[in-house]
Amino acid sequence: MKQALQKSGEYLVNLEVLKQWSERIDRLSPREREVMFLVAKGKLNKVIASELDISMRTVEVHRANVFDKLKVRSAAELATLLSRLSDRLGFDQLAGLE
């Protein structure tokens, strides 16, 4: 019984963490999401700018907004986070990360 309660508690904590991350991702604009996915894939700012047909400065601003809103400090941290979340989130919010 004690083990079941502990597992239930862990499950609820995990659900709350996923909810918080989902809410953070929801705060991103559509363009910030595009930039987020490309950064997570390891693309350079100039490549992202070319692919999205925007200036490199605009990419830098979107990238900074993504890092700030998601509270990550590096592209590697972002990629790790998104990889973990994509395995756990039950909706297509992270579709396109492959």
Side-chain angles (χ1 to χ4, degrees):
M1 176 78 163
K2 185 177 177 182
Q3 220 175 11
L5 288 173
Q6 182 180 356
K7 287 217 182 268
S8 176
E10 290 171 6
Y11 177 76
L12 292 173
V13 167
N14 284 338
L15 279 180
E16 183 60 30
V17 168
L18 290 176
K19 181 181 174 218
Q20 290 171 0
W21 280 110
S22 174
E23 289 169 356
R24 286 182 186 176
I25 291 171
D26 283 344
R27 287 186 218 128
L28 299 176
S29 71
R31 182 62 89 180
E32 288 169 343
R33 283 183 194 219
E34 287 178 305
V35 170
M36 175 186 69
F37 290 130
L38 295 172
V39 168
K41 288 180 181 181
K43 299 205 177 197
L44 301 173
N45 287 352
K46 65 183 177 181
V47 173
I48 295 170
S50 175
E51 286 187 20
L52 299 179
D53 197 29
I54 57 178
S55 75
M56 201 159 87
R57 178 66 185 134
T58 302
V59 172
E60 292 167 355
V61 169
H62 288 315
R63 181 183 179 123
N65 289 342
V66 168
F67 282 25
D68 183 53
K69 289 178 182 179
L70 297 185
K71 301 187 185 332
V72 296
R73 293 175 301 237
S74 69
E77 188 178 350
L78 176 65
T80 301
L81 169 70
L82 293 179
S83 176
R84 288 181 181 161
L85 290 176
S86 68
D87 292 340
R88 294 187 177 111
L89 292 174
F91 52 95
D92 68 350
Q93 186 172 39
L94 298 176
L97 186 58
E98 351 28 73

